[in-house]
Each structure stands twice: as structure tokens, then as C-alpha cells.
Amino acid sequence: MVRVTVWNENRHEKNNPVVGGIYPNGIHGAIADFLTKAGFEVGTATLDEPEHGLTEQVLNQTDVLIWWGHLAHHEVEDSIVDKVYQRVLKGMGLIVLHSGHASKIFSKLLGTPTGQLKWREADEKERIWVIDPAHPIASGLGEYIELQQEEMYGEHFNIPTPDQLVFVSWFEGGEVFRSGVTYHRGQGKVFYFRPGHETYPTYYNKEIQKVIENGVRWAVPSQTAEPVYGNAAPLEPIKSKPYSREVTEI
Ligand code: ZN
């Protein structure tokens, strides 16, 4: 069974009654609910727990980690970010949601200041277009997903060119955004998915749930041998030939 840990900073839910009303069990609780129903073995972890809930044991028993953060990226300990980073390089899948674009872990994995984008809170419509209909993360979807109200994120989004571009969002105010992108880092797979501003009930939307479920299945670690780096002995005897500087004339 695929083991998923849903990590959430869980601050808006406590500080803002609107968010607490939409997500009484936290954003992590809502995501854990639909992933459990989808058949995954799901645990949750939050910022204020010791080690942010991401102990060595939890990380070692996680196949796919989901990350939601916004207000408190700077409160996430670098030592924990390093542990998550190492686990991703060893094969743990990572799904970064919405404002997690500005998290330490996403920036570290991508190597760019990923917090850079445009944004606006204006209750506007978002249409998320499927750009790669053959991609497993888009499985079961129509041509697009429509959300009646969301926060706008707009280009330019300062990410490296993605390995795969799965979704592009259009917003009522005119901007577009690469809202579903994937990367391989070491043995691990990383999926960023944009929707999920805390003041909207986005994670109750069935199609959004479907994308996250698909993302978990896609990000499950591959059972590939760990790569070996550094000086390597030859696998077969190398027949030595006299070194020649002669240039073959054509
Ligand atoms: Zn937001």
C-alpha cells in the first residue's frame, strides 16, 4: 500500500475563522480524508509538532509527501528541509501545493527562488487547461477544470523549465500560469500543483482531488537500483592499445 504523509503548516486554520470554517480539520485533514478514501495509507504532520512531525521514522515510512505552507516557510527548520531533500533524492515523491511554491524545500530542489510570481486575491475564475492529455497525472480529466473562485498566480513563475508541463491555468483577469509541472531530482519525482488558496474550498473539488490522487500514484518511488557515483572499476577488462596522436585523414 502506498504510504502518504500530508504536511501542512496549519496556521491559517487557527488564525482565520473563515479558513477554520472551510477546513475544520485543517487543509491536511481534508486532503488526508479523500486520499484515505482513494485507498492510500495516509498520515499527517504539521509545523508545530516536534521536528514538524517529520521525524526520521516518519520520512523513512513515507512514499509520497504532500506539502502545503504559506505564512511560516521561514519557521521550517533547515535541518528538516535537508532531511526531506535527501529522502527525495533517494526516491520519495513530493507534491508541492499552491503557496508551497515559496517553501524552502521546493526552492532547494529546483535551485531557483521559486517564490517569484504574480498574485492577486480577487475571487476570480480559474480555468486549468490539460496541456499533456497523455500524462498519468491528467488521467480521467476533461479538457480543463474550472474553479469559480481562486487566487490568481501569474507568469512569470521563476522555475527551471519543467521536465513536463501538465497544466496551464488561465485567470479571469487575463494572466496565465504553469500550474502543473513535474521534475525528477535524483531518484525522486516532484509535482507542483497550483490551486488551493486557503479561503476557498478547492480541496473539496472532485477534479482537484483526482489530480492529487493521480499525482500520488505518479510520484510513488520507482524500485530502481540506487545510482553509484565516483571512481568506478571497469566492468570488463579493458584491452590497452598504444596511445596514438595520429589524425585519420578523411
Ligand atoms: Zn494563496
Side-chain angles (χ1 to χ4, degrees), residues 68 70 98-99 121 150-151 153 194 196-198:
W68 199 103
H70 180 222
H98 189 59
S99 39
E121 287 183 59
E150 251 293 351
E151 178 182 15
Y153 280 2
R194 194 216 79 85
H197 186 66
E198 65 277 0

